[in-house]
Amino acid sequence: MAGQKMDAGLDILDVQIVDKDGRMSGVVDDLDFSWDEETGAPYVSSILSGPEALGTRLGGRIGLWMASVHARLHDREDPGPAKISIGVVKKISNHVEITVSREDLDISRSPDWARDTIISKIPGADRAVE
Amino acid sequence: MRLSDLLHSEVYDQDGVSVGHVHDVRLVRDGPVIGSFGATFSIDGLIVGKGSFGSRLGFDRAAMKGPWVLKALFNRLHASSRFVPWDFVAAVEERKILISRAAKELHEPKALDLNGREEA
Amino acid sequence: MIAPLLLLASCVAPDRTYEPYEADAVATAEDAASAAQTALLAVDASTRSNVTQNYLSIVLEEAEADASGVQGTFDSIQPPNSEADRLKNELDKLLDDAASVLEDLRIAIRRGELEKLPDIAHPLDDTAKKLDDFATAHER
Amino acid sequence: MKKLIEITLGILTAIGGFVDIGDLVANAESGARFKMALAWVVVVGVIGICLFAEMAGRVAAVSQRPVFSLVRERLGAKVALANLGASFFINFLTLAAEIAGVALALELASSVNYLLWIPLVAFAVWLVIWRVRFSTMEKVFGLLGLCLLVFAVALWRFGPDWGALLSNAAHPTVPSGEGHPTYFYFAIALFGAAMTPYEVFFFSSGAIEEKWTKKDLVVERMNVYIGFPLGGLLSLALMALCSVILAPRGITVSTLSQATLPTVVVMGKLGLAVLLVGIFAATFGAALETGFSAGYTVAQYLGWQWGKFVRPKEAPRFHLVVLVSIIMGAFLVLTTIDPIKVTEYSIVLAAAALPLTYFPILVVANDPSYMGEHVNGRVTNALASIYLGILLIVSVATIPLMILTKAGS
């Protein structure tokens, strides 16, 4: 829908992201803009999601704390916030639907500490209940 | 540049007079084609106003009718909102945006309908 | 932010004059009367219909704990003058009476002597009334 | 038949959510101290929870968005984080209180000290969340919770002067010896107990767990309009029982056993057995709901996968939050802190935090970009606007009243 308009804060910021299999894959914590080389106008190039992006946005002590806890659990040196290219977005409505799998996203670049260290070690973690 | 760099920044007109804070950023789908998404959104302009409470509740949507108490309250709060077309933006600095026009040249933002079109 | 508020809400300031001390005495008498009445009601229930011993023992233990708790709190407040001393003596006598019956009740129920409960509880009725009268007399 | 079974979702959230440890304590206490003079608050609370739970359920069924996701989206990351902090803390206190409630019910049945039951109860709560099917869990605790009907049976068998009860409820007066601040403090406690936010966290997330869609709106409304008023009636029956049996003897309620005493006096051993099953089911059900809600709120704020409709390994952080909350809740009550006091604080603080949760629900329920044709009608909006006013007044009045009345003592 060319020419369609929306208000970024109202319609996309803080919206749930859902992957191609309908699995929840984070929240739109921020948007990243690039500059169009011809017109010079900024355009949305990617969605930022995860504690680094949220931490920066929250600012203050809580934001720093959030980013540092995340960094410690994931043992990486400041990789910058996780990005999801706008190119893999399928639809923006009640959810932001994307065309790829959660595992293939930048937000899954670090191993999942909660899953690997704790939850997967409890019997039944792999069993579907329904 | 990130969306959060723009939101809540204070906007000053050509005479250095504050117009208010950025409540929201209006996007329009006319940007470059990226991946399967197609044409991406580029920035249409800034919605700027005094105070900031309730800018993201959706009461500025044309189709949002009620409850009337809240609708009336937020209409009043947002009556002073102004739309700053992106062409007017001269510089984006730390928490501060400078525009190249005078505050009085700005108009109220137009409400969007459910299909993302501005109301006449 | 909430923790200090909870502390503030629950802390007991020392009483420097007679009036607040008397108010504390009234509250103590009311609470002790409530505990005594609870025990009486439980014993009454046990005579009218069969109630499990487990249940009765919990109710009676809690009533005893309640009564000794309020007495302990009251005794920890320093009486500000001699008038308050007299008030304290009067109330302590009643509290002791209630406590001793409640203790006997607990011992009896532990031994499984359910049939003895009404007789043991009997004087508690009178004590509870006196506690009520005390509260009424000093209420303002 | 299928519809009948589906209504158990409503009955679970009503019995386990409406009547939980908070309602048992608040209704018993206010019945014993104020007779029926606070009955109107229960009615106001029931209408309020019906109104907002129906909205939250409808939003979830239509837009597939649970409550805390909306809170984040409408209030923004910062305000929603403050809300998350408050809601999570209050929900945590409630979870701890419910675990203690289950343990106290077991103590009354076994005379084994409740503290010894707590680790076992906490483990059982976690195990049910981990292993038992969502719908099975609802049915079991929903149906067992109906044992609380014994309150109504006991009241009827006691044969009170119905006219006097009604007139006391219709013409509320503050009894002598009680001040107005205490009266309003208890009113807030009852209101908070009736409208605790975890009910809508759970109800809306549960609707998504159950894969409700627009087609289920009729069932959704029946759940709310039958389930919650039923819970409210049971609360009123308990209040009335305490007002006719405890109040005349000057008994104030400070333990769960005192709240059970009127039923036992009237119904004896059998009544006690049924009542303890009912309290067990209601508090256990509410412990499940608050345990889930701990995970729901955090996961929905951060966009993590949540829910029992996926394997635990698919929602590891959600399950970790649930697990840690249950363990911490158990530790809190193991400190021998008075579980009744924890309950009181949880419902009163819940009352103070109500607008944070209910305001975003009201906003989104009016937003056609989510709701399409299913936006609120005029009557709903008129009522909801009045309630928003009430919620704001309650929220502002709570903390000052808490300090003024030394928490109702």
Side-chain angles (χ1 to χ4, degrees), chain D residues 5 133 166 168 318 324 374 390:
Chain D
I5 291 169
R133 285 171 57 159
L166 272 175
N168 181 210
F318 164 74
V324 171
H374 299 286
I390 299 176

Side-chain angles (χ1 to χ4, degrees), chain C residues 2 5-6 8-11 31 34 37-38 41-42 45 48-52 54-55 57-59 62 66 139, chain D residues 107-111 246 249-252 254-255 257-258 260-261 264-265 268-269 272 345 349 399 402-403 406:
Chain C
I2 286 153
L5 279 175
L6 295 186
L8 195 67
S10 59
C11 81
D31 288 348
S34 162
Q37 290 285 6
T38 303
L41 191 59
R48 282 200 284 155
S49 58
N50 49 349
V51 176
T52 63
N54 283 344
Y55 177 78
S57 70
I58 298 290
V59 176
E62 285 180 349
D66 249 16
E139 194 137 47
Chain D
E107 180 187 67
L108 287 173
S110 67
S111 89
L246 301 184
R249 292 176 171 81
I251 298 177
T252 52
S254 56
T255 63
S257 67
Q258 284 169 316
T260 62
L261 203 45
V264 176
V265 168
K269 200 188 262 179
L272 174 66
Y345 286 125
L349 292 175
I399 303 294
M402 193 173 193
I403 295 168
K406 289 183 183 168

